[in-house]
Amino acid sequence: MLKRLMTGVLSVLAIASSAAAQDNPTKHYPAKPIMLVVPFAPGGPNDVLARIVADHMSRTLAQPVLIENAAGAGGTMGSARVASAEPDGYTLLSGNLGSLAAGYALYKNIKYDPRDFASVGMLAGTPNFLVVRKEFPARTLAEFINYAKANPEKVTVGNAGLGSNAHLVCLYLEHLAGLKLSHVPYRGTGPAMKDLLGGQIDAMCDSAPNVVPQVLAGTVRALVVAQPSRVAATPDVPTAKEAGLPDFNVVGWNAIVAPPRTPKEIVAKANAALTAALNDPAVRTKIEDIGAIPPQADEASPAWMDKFMRAEVDEWGKVVRAAGVSVE
């Protein structure tokens, strides 16, 4: 009798708890697993960085943070899906300079405005490199430029789709150096890197998480890092100025955002979990070991990320319009 009574009490409490969670979903967030959408194929910078923080965020939130790769159209397809998702905090997006800024100006029929997302926080800054296959004849940036000029549209460069970070960086290199490269789109720079390692393409302009491990392993050669200072993980790779093209400065970034109209209380909880991950020395070391740069304390808030992303949308809009490029 007592056992039946206790079972009944526990059932009532469980039902009451479930009802309370439904009545106030913000208060009880998260009450189920969270999907973190990476709009590129596995193995690229977005994917690597998202996986580094997801496990730690899962522990903080006491719910699994699961990675879903939804590649296509330079990251804009998966991003559009998150933009139209329920604003309940259970679908988040790990985006970058391309999918959360430049793609808005580049794609004529894009289905979202990055400025409408609810920013959760900066994940990492990602220095960009120009790397070539080991057998490529050029060993310096100057030699690469001379070779590409002598062989217009013959040097193949892989990217994660038109409008992706990798595509934009190589477009900028073309513009500055007066080159004509042959752009080869993939569903992510992970697959592109595989083809670079296999010799199917000549080069890539990609960010540190995808490039640095290969540079350190000696499987590709880095000709330049597109920023004013050298990267600690690759101290022998020259800066743009040192390599002879001082204006070739394009520092990428990755961030986590939520669908438009996500309640601030939910965003704050997601941000707290991301911040806890980024403050963990083990996580920071993993990020730094692949050449990425964890955000500083004053760059960690949703408000800072929102302001930064809006500025990036405006700045890259000017760049894309000035270049006269667009994608249907």
Side-chain angles (χ1 to χ4, degrees):
M1 179 70 177
L2 181 60
K3 183 176 181 180
R4 288 199 300 271
L5 179 60
M6 288 301 296
T7 300
V9 170
L10 290 173
S11 297
V12 170
L13 289 174
I15 293 171
S17 176
S18 175
Q22 292 175 3
D23 290 341
N24 190 355
T26 299
K27 181 180 179 180
H28 297 277
Y29 173 84
K32 62 181 181 179
I34 297 166
M35 189 65 67
L36 179 56
V37 175
V38 174
F40 300 98
N46 251 46
D47 183 69
V48 171
L49 287 168
R51 291 179 190 277
I52 288 175
V53 298
D55 182 59
H56 196 289
M57 291 178 69
S58 297
R59 297 197 298 272
T60 301
L61 294 168
Q63 288 289 347
V65 177
L66 307 173
I67 303 295
E68 179 184 348
N69 297 92
T76 60
M77 289 180 63
S79 301
R81 205 187 88 198
V82 176
S84 62
E86 285 294 321
D88 56 9
Y90 292 104
T91 305
L92 304 176
L93 173 69
S94 174
N96 66 9
L97 179 155
S99 59
L100 291 177
Y104 183 62
L106 189 67
Y107 282 86
K108 288 185 177 181
N109 298 313
I110 195 168
K111 303 296 185 182
Y112 63 94
D113 184 336
R115 294 167 293 193
D116 291 337
F117 282 114
S119 296
V120 172
M122 176 70 83
L123 206 168
T126 51
N128 286 298
F129 294 76
L130 169 64
V131 295
V132 297
R133 55 182 172 84
K134 286 203 304 182
E135 299 80 10
F136 193 76
R139 304 193 69 84
T140 67
L141 177 60
E143 290 178 2
F144 179 90
I145 291 172
N146 290 336
Y147 184 89
K149 284 183 175 179
N151 299 274
E153 299 186 39
K154 296 292 180 62
V155 177
T156 52
V157 291
N159 60 58
L162 303 180
S164 65
N165 175 80
H167 179 227
L168 293 165
V169 176
C170 269
L171 278 180
Y172 193 47
L173 174 61
E174 279 187 313
H175 171 70
L176 291 175
L179 307 179
K180 289 290 185 180
L181 303 172
S182 177
H183 298 269
V184 184
Y186 291 79
R187 293 177 69 82
T189 52
M193 179 59 77
K194 288 183 180 179
D195 274 4
L196 181 64
L197 296 176
Q200 281 77 45
I201 57 174
D202 295 315
M204 289 176 62
C205 298
D206 200 15
S207 57
N210 197 34
V211 167
V212 167
Q214 301 299 338
V215 173
L216 296 179
T219 51
V220 300
R221 291 203 313 274
L223 304 185
V224 63
V225 57
Q227 63 177 35
S229 59
R230 294 196 179 199
V231 173
T234 55
D236 295 331
V237 180
T239 67
K241 183 177 181 179
E242 291 169 338
L245 198 64
D247 291 335
F248 185 44
N249 292 308
V250 190
V251 179
W253 48 269
N254 289 71
I256 294 179
V257 299
R261 300 178 303 282
T262 299
K264 290 183 178 180
E265 296 86 350
I266 288 177
V267 169
K269 289 185 178 181
N271 172 263
L274 174 60
T275 300
L278 294 171
N279 286 339
D280 185 308
V283 172
R284 293 184 74 88
T285 297
K286 287 181 180 179
I287 292 173
E288 291 168 346
D289 282 350
I290 54 175
I293 307 166
Q296 300 298 315
D298 61 351
E299 301 170 341
S301 71
W304 185 94
M305 186 64 229
D306 185 67
K307 183 178 179 180
F308 175 80
M309 189 164 65
R310 288 174 177 275
E312 287 285 277
V313 171
D314 292 342
E315 183 62 28
W316 278 98
K318 296 174 185 175
V319 172
V320 170
R321 288 190 292 272
V325 294
S326 63
V327 179
E328 293 292 341

